Amino acid sequence: MTETRGATTIVTNAPDIVDVVALGESMVTFLPSRPGRLADVPSFERGIGGAESNLACGLAAAGHSVRWVSRVGADGFGDHLVATVGSYGVDVSAVRRDPARPTGVYFRTAGERGTDAHEVAYYRAGSAASAMSAENVDLEAVRAGRVLHLTGITAALSEDCRGLLHELTAPGAGRPLISFDVNHRPDLWRDAEGAGVVRELARRADVVFVGEDEAWGVTGGPSAVRELLPEPGVLVVKQGAKGATAFVSPADRRGPVAQFPAPLGSGSDPESQGEASSPARAAGSRDAGGERGPVAQFPSPLGSGTGPESRGEASSTTFVPALAVDVVATTGAGDAFAAGFLSGMLRGLSVKACLRTAHLHAAATLTTPGDLAVPPARDTVDRLAAVDDGTWGTLRLGPGWTQAVQAPEEVRIP
């Protein structure tokens, strides 16, 4: 590609095609050394946190090619973020440094978010990431992915960020498949318009993740949420400790922007078909014409499960119960869940296996104290995701379970 800077035209290499691009703010997070009020905690351990970078790291650790796009300050915290995210194998070459704005940071207590004692102190106003816009982000790098993952958090950071998401989710040539995690955080919005903005972005996406507790006050369960969001080809409604329900529209109702780029349409694990995961082949598929280039339908396993979802005339509905987990902390579990589901989709797994993979990735984060956890090895995920329903219902996962090598029925006692 070419870039004009003043009177100089610079020729640069086009960005590599990756499985997933995740765009959004990441912050340095400080985890308390012991329980208590922020005023009483004497020291903190440094980590990182951010919905999009969490997902990027989880997918990279699971073996996928991933790029994280953001802005950070030209400061030590920015150095730490870029180095840490990159250490997971994530491409951070499109992260830009802002000499005029700082990297965001936040502190939190050891308590769970659902308790009155929980405290979070954000220092992100005016951060480098809040200044992201369609003018200062490398849009070619953002769009050079089979999937582009966004969240409602970015829309809350600034009007420029909101405009960027509208630009990226608009139908048009070069638009990748859009994955959108609602992540509606009312505290980040200065007025009540946030709910409507996030809902509209969700309606423009192809794959949407939303928790029942953030579904704009809708009651009546997952089906009621689906009625509110009929547009996405795939809608995953997270139901907390109960489980999750995925709705998948029939192929003839999805339209061109709700189809996977060709490599995702192989209907089987990409690793088993060498050319399917090739960046060169993916690039060729994207450039060949049409709104998004030659596309394939959703991988056939997504509509070929057992029971009602296999009949195909109407939207499929698949529910998978959550695992029993000895929870250490819940922060970041939703990001891990989305990463697991997208990992399954990228590999062409069935919708049931995608949901189980999502639950397993979430369990890895739920059983660690930080925002980010290395997911279990793929062979472990595949082995546990393949157990019968009875065995799935008996599994109980606790701290350290991702290193367990026992038979599936023994994992309940890591």
Side-chain angles (χ1 to χ4, degrees):
M1 65 179 179
T2 61
E3 180 179 352
T4 301
R5 299 177 184 174
T8 304
T9 299
I10 301 171
V11 179
T12 59
N13 293 325
D16 290 336
I17 303 297
V18 295
D19 290 333
V20 178
V21 175
L23 178 145
E25 181 175 35
S26 187
M27 295 173 288
V28 172
T29 176
F30 290 92
L31 307 176
S33 57
R34 64 174 175 79
R37 301 185 309 152
L38 288 178
D40 300 328
V41 175
S43 60
F44 297 80
E45 180 179 352
R46 184 182 63 179
I48 68 168
E52 300 84 2
S53 61
N54 287 350
L55 175 133
C57 293
L59 280 169
H64 300 284
S65 58
V66 189
R67 175 179 298 120
W68 174 53
V69 179
S70 189
R71 290 174 67 85
V72 300
D75 50 33
F77 287 147
D79 294 341
H80 176 65
L81 273 176
V82 173
T84 302
V85 175
S87 71
Y88 282 80
V90 176
D91 174 5
V92 294
S93 61
V95 177
R96 294 184 172 176
R97 310 303 289 264
D98 189 331
R101 297 176 178 85
T103 303
V105 300
Y106 78 96
F107 297 77
R108 67 177 174 87
T109 53
E112 292 300 325
R113 283 182 172 170
T115 68
D116 293 336
H118 181 73
E119 297 176 76
V120 178
Y122 287 105
Y123 299 90
R124 72 195 307 177
S127 69
S130 71
M132 286 190 296
S133 70
E135 287 69 43
N136 63 24
V137 166
D138 185 345
L139 295 181
E140 187 166 0
V142 172
R143 291 174 172 139
R146 297 157 69 187
V147 178
L148 170 59
H149 182 75
L150 308 168
T151 80
I153 295 172
T154 303
L157 298 182
S158 68
E159 290 187 9
D160 282 342
C161 285
R162 197 176 314 167
L164 173 61
L165 293 199
H166 278 278
E167 168 83 12
L168 294 173
T169 57
R175 169 181 151 158
L177 182 111
I178 301 295
S179 166
F180 185 76
D181 194 335
V182 167
N183 258 327
H184 181 46
R185 306 283 176 80
D187 291 346
L188 292 179
W189 293 88
R190 296 181 178 179
D191 49 45
E193 71 174 352
V197 171
V198 174
R199 184 167 61 250
E200 179 59 28
L201 288 168
R203 295 178 66 184
R204 295 157 68 106
D206 304 309
V207 181
V208 173
F209 302 93
V210 60
E212 276 189 312
D213 58 347
E214 59 182 359
W216 306 282
V218 172
T219 58
S223 294
V225 180
R226 182 53 160 172
E227 289 180 7
L228 186 68
L229 295 175
E231 297 87 357
V234 177
L235 174 68
V236 181
V237 181
K238 298 175 290 183
Q239 300 165 258
K242 181 179 178 181
T245 299
F247 299 90
V248 180
S249 297
D252 60 1
R253 287 175 50 192
R254 292 179 197 135
V257 296
Q259 297 171 325
F260 282 117
L264 278 173
S266 61
S268 60
D269 193 325
E271 277 84 296
S272 67
Q273 302 186 23
E275 78 276 14
S277 58
S278 163
R281 179 172 184 235
S285 298
R286 288 170 52 86
D287 295 340
E291 284 255 313
R292 293 147 59 105
V295 291
Q297 301 297 333
F298 281 85
S300 55
L302 273 175
S304 60
T306 58
E309 70 266 28
S310 65
R311 290 193 271 274
E313 293 85 1
S315 296
S316 71
T317 303
T318 305
F319 170 77
V320 170
L323 293 157
V325 177
D326 296 329
V327 176
V328 174
T330 59
T331 307
D335 309 325
F337 180 96
F341 192 90
L342 290 179
S343 176
M345 292 180 73
L346 286 161
R347 298 174 58 205
L349 303 184
S350 70
V351 65
K352 180 176 181 180
C354 287
L355 285 169
R356 284 191 170 187
T357 301
H359 284 314
L360 288 161
H361 278 241
T365 298
L366 288 168
T367 51
T368 57
D371 294 28
L372 181 60
V374 175
R378 181 174 290 186
D379 59 349
T380 299
V381 170
D382 289 347
R383 179 164 51 86
L384 294 178
V387 301
D388 60 74
D389 291 346
T391 301
W392 178 264
T394 65
L395 299 180
R396 186 175 188 89
L397 307 180
W401 75 270
T402 56
Q403 286 76 49
V405 295
Q406 302 98 321
E409 60 273 13
E410 297 173 340
V411 177
R412 69 176 74 101
I413 306 175

